[in-house]
Amino acid sequence: MTTAIARSDRRVSPVFLALVAIMGVSAWAVWTNFSTSKGFAVFLFVVSGWIVSLCLHEYAHARTALHGGDISIGAKGYLTLNPLKYTHALLSIVLPVVFVIMGGIGLPGGAVFIERGRIKGRVRHSLISAAGPLTNVAVAVALTAPFWLGTVDGVPAVFRYALAFLALLQVTAAILNFLPVPGLDGYGVIEPWLSAGVRRQVEPFAPFGLIAVFGVLWIPEVNQLFFSAVDAILHALGVNGWDTYWGQEYFRFWEGEPESPLSL
């Protein structure tokens, strides 16, 4: 099936390459302390890294759908990693970045349109939905590798903070997306196994699932429980609350440069 995809439909987009370049340059600026504003450099690194992970999240959905039988994926441009090709740019890029700025929560939204009628088998449908948040899991493991490998001692403190905060976003994205809420990937995993009647009843609520989850997270008790779970996962990956806290403090550069000791 992949042989039916034109080479131009699989070529990595210059937009994605530009995002990767911004991520790389801002990472260098944080690492070397080159920027006059550490916070702004951290902000650029985290936001560009977050958008890159969003592209990978949606690419995973698209690639799995392609191998599942939807050969229309290539023509839609989803295999180019270009965020501008997503069907819901607001849900896919703008709102997730706003959520990060407002509450330090990583929450990808629905983006790629998959022609489900082309895909046979409930397992394939479930795998397509699971592929996105599983990508966030993989990115979180990669970002925290210096921590759980014990090689973080030589890493500049501010870069370590930024890396930890970006990892936190990946963990929150994975957890929230696996929730069985209409409109999120977790519901997409179980939806093929529900009766047609249940799916019809739930369908009208799908457009509001993302906003509902974010609203519930503003309830203090729920927010505390959620971030306790996130901290426990990060702790298992070798990342402590000190690093994620100061990562978010530097990220909010508009509030001024944080006065923090640079090491634990």
Side-chain angles (χ1 to χ4, degrees), residues 122-251:
R122 292 180 291 183
V123 172
R124 289 181 178 179
H125 285 280
S126 294
L127 287 175
I128 290 168
S129 295
L134 286 176
T135 300
N136 292 113
V137 172
V139 174
V141 172
L143 289 172
T144 57
F147 297 88
W148 51 264
L149 288 175
T151 59
V152 76
D153 290 342
V155 175
V158 177
F159 184 82
R160 190 180 79 226
Y161 301 156
L163 205 63
F165 182 53
L166 186 54
L168 178 145
L169 297 180
Q170 302 302 321
V171 172
T172 60
I175 293 175
L176 293 174
N177 257 273
F178 269 128
L179 292 176
V181 175
L184 297 181
D185 293 326
Y187 178 74
V189 172
I190 66 171
E191 184 182 22
W193 307 90
L194 301 176
S195 67
V198 172
R199 292 200 299 268
R200 282 195 299 269
Q201 289 178 335
V202 172
E203 186 176 2
F205 300 99
F208 310 104
L210 183 68
I211 303 299
V213 168
F214 189 67
V216 169
L217 284 173
W218 281 102
I219 301 173
E221 294 80 7
V222 176
N223 188 276
Q224 183 176 3
L225 181 64
F226 172 71
F227 277 103
S228 293
V230 171
D231 289 341
I233 293 172
L234 287 170
H235 182 74
L237 292 170
V239 181
N240 58 56
W242 171 277
D243 290 334
T244 55
Y245 172 80
W246 287 113
Q248 187 169 11
E249 288 295 298
Y250 275 99
F251 174 82

Side-chain angles (χ1 to χ4, degrees), residues 11-13 15-16 19 52 55-57 59 77-84 86:
R11 188 178 296 121
V12 178
S13 164
V15 176
F16 180 77
L19 288 169
V52 165
C55 294
L56 295 174
H57 175 108
Y59 175 85
Y78 298 154
L79 300 179
T80 65
L81 290 159
N82 184 353
L84 301 179
Y86 297 155

